[in-house]
Amino acid sequence: GKPYTDSLTISRWQKSSPHDVTSDYKFPEGSREERRAVDNAAQASRVFRGKQTPNDVKIEMVEKDGMMVGEDFTIEFRLVNTSQKKREVSSLHLELYSKFYTGEIKSKIFFKPLPGLTLEGKKDKTFSVDVKSKDYLDKIAEQANMEVIISATVAKENNNKDNIVKVDNFRLRRADIEIKMPTSCKKGEELTAHLNFKNHLPVPMTKCVLYLGGAGFEKIEKIPQKDVPAKSDWKLSVKVKAKRVGLEQFSVTFDSQEVPDITGRAEVQVK
């Protein structure tokens, strides 16, 4: 991470071009990300040393379930003043990122500054931030994992200030394929499976392919599908044949350019 000059060489005959890897593991100096990392480290240090001073103002997320990929949704949180005295809150902002399943950030979706306020003693205020599908659809990773970061500065007595940060991770749901088919059959019997799901996207699903699977069923190649119009239902009936006795799982996967890995599963008792 230290500065380097062109005078650095590997040998007297071969000139090297050293690569500065600082940006691979450290946020740029002075950036919001770097400030947040320092704040988090400072708070962790106080906890470790047993000298943490609790913040008067806390950030609490309002939990929500069932937010679907392709739909608009709202992020809600509360600022809660736990002290008896009023507190001035400034530099309040919300950041939203998409993440890979490994936890690595893929893309920033947006940065939204929010108005400062005065919180009276033992009072709280709820904030709502709307997220439109057009803001995130082209930025999400395969598992549709998201990270929201809320931070603010709280002024206290004697010119003291607290920097507060709240990090919350959540995942947008993808539609499930509903499978309607007999729950039992005889070996070698042909079954009809009725499949359907809803496209919640405001745009068509394109380059669609259907995959049918299950070790207990005869192999079926992938089946190309037509585009699925925006906000519409996709339906299809397919025939499959059980090839062995036992409790077998029939699985379906629907891939599109916009949303991959829409899945469904059903169990069939083969006699």
Side-chain angles (χ1 to χ4, degrees), residues 44 181 229 256:
M181 64 187 302
S256 71

Side-chain angles (χ1 to χ4, degrees), residues 4 24 38 50 62-63 66 76 81 89 91 106 152 193 231 234 241 256 259 261:
Y4 64 89
D24 293 339
V38 172
V62 178
E63 298 297 334
E76 289 188 63
N81 184 2
V89 179
S91 301
K106 178 187 178 186
K231 302 293 184 180
W234 172 85
K241 186 178 292 186
S256 71
V259 182
D261 295 327

Side-chain angles (χ1 to χ4, degrees), residues 21-39:
V21 299
T22 306
S23 60
D24 293 339
Y25 65 88
K26 183 179 179 182
F27 294 117
E29 295 290 338
S31 66
R32 289 191 302 272
E33 292 84 356
E34 190 254 354
R35 174 189 169 189
R36 184 171 65 247
V38 172
D39 289 342

